[in-house]
Amino acid sequence: MLPILYYGTEAQKQKYLPGLISGELKAAYCLTEPGSGSDALAAKTRADLTSDGQFYVLNGQKMWITNSGFADLFIVFAKIGGEKFTGFIVERNSEGLTFGAEENKLGIKGSSTRQVFFENVHVPAENLLGEIGKGHLIAFNILNVGRFKLGVGVMGGAKKVASLSVQYANERVQFGEPISHFGAIQHKLAEQAIRTFAVESAIYRVSNLLEIKAQEAMHAGASYAEARQLAAEEYAIECAILKVAGSEALDYVVDEMVQIYGGMGYSEEAPAARAYRDARINRIFEGTNEINRMLTVDMLFKRAMKGAIDLVGPAWAVQKELASMPSMEAVTGAYGEEKKALEDFKKIVLMTAGAAAKMQMDGKLNLKEAQEILMSVADMMIELFLAESLLLRVEKLSSMETSIDQDTYDAILQTHFHDAGFRIQKSSTDALTAFAEGDLLRTFLMGLKRFSKYPPRNVMSLRRKIASALIEANAYCF
Ligand SMILES: Cc1cc2nc3c(=O)[nH]c(=O)nc-3n(C[C@H](O)[C@H](O)[C@H](O)COP(=O)(O)OP(=O)(O)OC[C@H]3O[C@@H](n4cnc5c(N)ncnc54)[C@H](O)[C@@H]3O)c2cc1C
């Protein structure tokens, strides 16, 4: 629906959108091919204009196409003359359009996935979508929105799975008591909730950012569709973060669900097995998590180079701070320790990414060939965004009436910050040791130590507090 809403002509919108909105028409999105998955622009499907200019003739093959068993419309990407990557709207009843058998998948078995074949499929010239040679804009902008939606979707799944986990843990009795009484199980229940809550906090934040940006654009005269697209483009980094963080949180949550269910977790008679299989696809489609991690860093560096954000100034300030004596300022105010830790997390990311960028500029490092460093920087960016979103949410909750007591939200926040600090330290160390050595590395590692001062928390008792709220509610309750 979105490719037509964002890029369609008025006639295309009138013809297809009402049916798509009412549900009479279903659609599919055909980008991937057997030889081009992550490298989507390497597609081989081609389109050639007939001599009378009336039709584009499509030949080629698409793979892994969701909804293809029953879709009425296909948004298809093909190269005009084998070169210009372009979008088309193809109707199901087109002659020459055929389908493979349903794929025998690991999970999401309720979703139709087939190959789609094009053999001299004549597509009316008016069904060309957007501009010739600009198909990549459609493909990638739709993926931005798709990543946001995937992040939101997986959180729904994670909450459901967390609820089922606590219900089972309350019901299942071993050694004379419900397994939810055991510390090892409480750790899992709490951790399921912490990860879900952190990603959800980021989702609320990005939803709001997208909405504000779209409203601003509409006030400035953009149409609804233009405004939505602009917003998704502006927050493409955040959308990629939600996709990666959400899908990985869900995989953690379903994995622990299987464990909490024990032997029943391994049986198709209980819900855990299906959830475990269904969740796994989310790290693969809408751009794999590796591709999304690389995009996150790539987009950040590109924006810095264009001057859209200032990375160099803050990175330089951190460098100067490294050469000065540490300040002994006392931390004060509500959530002061978390606010200070967040500033320090930012400094670690700036120090690490800034140093890598400088090495690259000095010709001592080729980041394209050092993907491990990009992965570490992306991991730190994700941690930072989640930690900040969580702090903003918990701080806001502290001034609101809620059914959960604030100490429990604070326990989520503190446990998350405690763990995030260690994860960020590890990612930074992995990256720094990959490109620095000797005195330079020693300086960076001292900086890392200086910026890793979040006080250690008694995470055992904090997790027990979180678990007791879940156990009492017999559901995910945050
Ligand atoms: C159930 C299902 C439904 C799908 N639905 C659709 C759909 O409706 N429409 C559609 O167009 N597509 C769809 N897809 C395709 C999906 O988007 C692709 O599978 C995905 O983009 C990955 O491409 P690939 O499978 O070719 O993997 P590959 O690109 O071959 O990747 C294999 C591995 O290599 C890694 N890798 C690839 N390139 C790099 C690189 N440059 N650097 C580092 N690592 C790299 C990947 O991260 C991955 O781990 C679907 C797939 C599935 C399984």
Side-chain angles (χ1 to χ4, degrees), residues 29-34 36-39 63-66 105 108 113 281 284-291 294 371:
Y29 183 80
C30 303
L31 178 63
T32 307
E33 299 186 3
S36 59
S38 299
D39 187 11
M63 197 172 182
W64 305 119
I65 305 307
T66 301
K105 304 190 294 286
I108 57 166
T113 316
I281 185 59
I284 297 170
F285 58 20
E286 301 289 344
T288 65
N289 283 15
E290 293 72 34
I291 296 293
M294 281 186 284
Q371 286 187 346

Side-chain angles (χ1 to χ4, degrees), residues 348-349 351-353 372-373 376-377 379-380 421-437 441-442 444-449 452:
I348 295 175
V349 180
M351 179 183 80
T352 316
E372 296 90 331
I373 298 174
S376 295
V377 173
D379 284 343
M380 287 189 282
F422 285 111
R423 291 191 293 255
I424 291 174
Q425 268 184 57
K426 166 141 176 37
S427 296
S428 174
T429 310
D430 287 356
L432 291 167
T433 49
F435 61 78
E437 53 188 12
L441 179 60
R442 264 191 292 281
F444 285 139
L445 294 180
M446 266 159 48
L448 189 54
K449 208 168 161 197
S452 302

Side-chain angles (χ1 to χ4, degrees), residues 38 46 52 72 103 121 148 153 176 191 222 250 271 286 364 385 407 419 430 454:
S38 299
R46 62 179 287 150
D52 59 8
D72 306 284
E103 299 289 348
V121 175
F148 170 73
E191 197 53 28
L250 176 64
E286 301 289 344
K364 293 179 188 156
F385 192 71
D407 283 355
D419 286 354
D430 287 356
Y454 186 65

Side-chain angles (χ1 to χ4, degrees), residues 5 23 50 96 112 119 248 252 275 281 307 344 357 389 424 463-464:
L5 178 66
T50 52
S112 166
E119 204 181 335
E248 293 180 4
Y252 174 86
I281 185 59
D344 285 344
S389 306
I424 291 174
R463 282 204 181 85
R464 286 188 174 190

